[in-house]
Amino acid sequence: RMKYRRLLLTILVTTIFLSSIGIGLKSQIEYPQAKVAFYALHVKFPLLSIPEPVLKGKEFYVIISGKDANSVASSKLESIYGSFEFKLTSITQVGENLYNLTFGPVVEVPDGLYNLTLVYKNGTAEVEPNSIWVISNFPKVVKLFAFGDVKTPTGAPYLYETIREMNLVNPTFAVFLGESVETPSISSAWKLFLGSYLMSNVPTYVVSGNHEYEGVGISDIYQLIFGPINYTIRIGDFQLVVLP
């Protein structure tokens, strides 16, 4: 009977120990999440999917929709490198209900990827993350990092590890080749995708895949978050043409 009690006690202690390990492992595999926001609803360029390359000493441009362009007061660039404020220098209408805002010039700002914040006269602000890429010189040679097909929520571990490794490799810029979420109508998939994607310190240009579509020819959710399906961007002597 004594041996039987010792055996039960050993099993109980072992079970508690293994359970505690399980709890610890579970907490380690909880991947970052971010709030889902329609980043491309008002701001049309730059976007978190189409960062704007800005040469040191030059101005940068923001295209917004809506007639409230005159209510914008200033802008800020913020990242791990610091926070910098810029005055609005001009407003130009460039299309039906589209306005080009000019800020800058960008001086004494370290090279890197920045969040853009538009500051309005009424005190409100609008943030476009990872959308301004400040560089001293346009690249003559490109070290390109390409990845895709992560399909969150299932692929959240792969996206998280990819972003971490991409930051370590530090390429010139990256291209995400699509298949961001399994189903675009599931908010948890976008939360997990954005949670890791916004950890990037590398300017990343996004291509849509078939999993970004709710139906045949319908990608409304994707376009509200990331913006246009087709676009071009010039980076010095290089031009990226996205035609998925």
Side-chain angles (χ1 to χ4, degrees):
R1 184 175 294 178
M2 199 67 172
K3 290 182 178 180
Y4 182 69
R5 287 179 178 175
R6 286 177 180 174
L7 177 61
L8 285 177
L9 181 60
T10 301
I11 292 172
L12 178 61
V13 171
T14 303
T15 302
I16 293 172
F17 177 72
L18 291 175
S19 297
S20 66
I21 292 177
I23 293 171
L25 289 174
K26 183 177 179 181
S27 64
Q28 291 175 15
I29 59 174
E30 291 180 354
Y31 297 98
Q33 298 189 36
K35 180 182 178 181
V36 179
F38 291 154
Y39 294 110
L41 178 63
H42 189 213
V43 176
K44 301 305 178 182
F45 179 79
L47 297 165
L48 73 166
S49 59
I50 317 174
E52 178 181 356
V54 180
L55 272 181
K56 199 81 67 70
K58 301 294 184 180
E59 297 173 319
F60 65 93
Y61 308 95
V62 179
I63 298 176
I64 66 173
S65 64
K67 295 182 179 180
D68 57 346
N70 287 313
S71 63
V72 176
S74 62
S75 69
K76 290 191 294 185
L77 298 184
E78 296 177 295
S79 75
I80 57 175
Y81 309 108
S83 178
F84 308 88
E85 296 187 9
F86 299 93
K87 293 181 179 180
L88 175 64
T89 58
S90 68
I91 302 174
T92 306
Q93 187 167 0
V94 293
E96 185 178 355
N97 206 33
L98 289 175
Y99 298 84
N100 185 90
L101 312 180
T102 304
F103 298 94
V106 175
V107 293
E108 298 182 358
V109 178
D111 288 13
L113 186 64
Y114 289 83
N115 299 330
L116 166 69
T117 299
L118 295 179
V119 181
Y120 291 87
K121 294 175 182 177
N122 63 4
T124 61
E126 186 172 12
V127 179
E128 192 63 45
N130 290 7
S131 60
I132 295 289
W133 173 21
V134 177
I135 45 179
S136 296
N137 299 288
F138 285 126
K140 298 300 181 183
V141 176
V142 167
K143 181 169 66 174
L144 176 64
F145 190 102
F147 66 109
D149 205 27
V150 293
K151 295 191 186 80
T152 56
T154 305
Y158 307 108
L159 176 61
Y160 175 76
E161 189 59 35
T162 299
I163 296 296
R164 286 182 66 248
E165 293 185 16
M166 182 172 73
N167 286 338
L168 291 173
V169 172
N170 191 31
T172 311
F173 62 86
V175 175
F176 177 76
L177 298 168
E179 312 301 326
S180 52
V181 295
E182 289 179 351
T183 305
S185 58
I186 298 176
S187 62
S188 61
W190 287 113
K191 289 177 181 177
L192 283 164
F193 181 86
L194 291 169
S196 290
Y197 180 83
L198 292 177
M199 291 170 51
S200 172
N201 297 325
V202 177
T204 302
Y205 298 93
V206 178
V207 185
S208 66
N210 64 291
H211 275 259
E212 277 70 59
Y213 286 79
E214 302 100 83
V216 178
I218 302 173
S219 58
D220 294 344
I221 297 173
Y222 171 88
Q223 292 189 61
L224 284 170
I225 297 172
F226 282 126
I229 297 294
N230 305 320
Y231 63 89
T232 64
I233 186 78
R234 180 170 287 280
I235 306 166
D237 292 335
F238 298 92
Q239 180 156 299
L240 183 66
V241 180
V242 176
L243 296 171

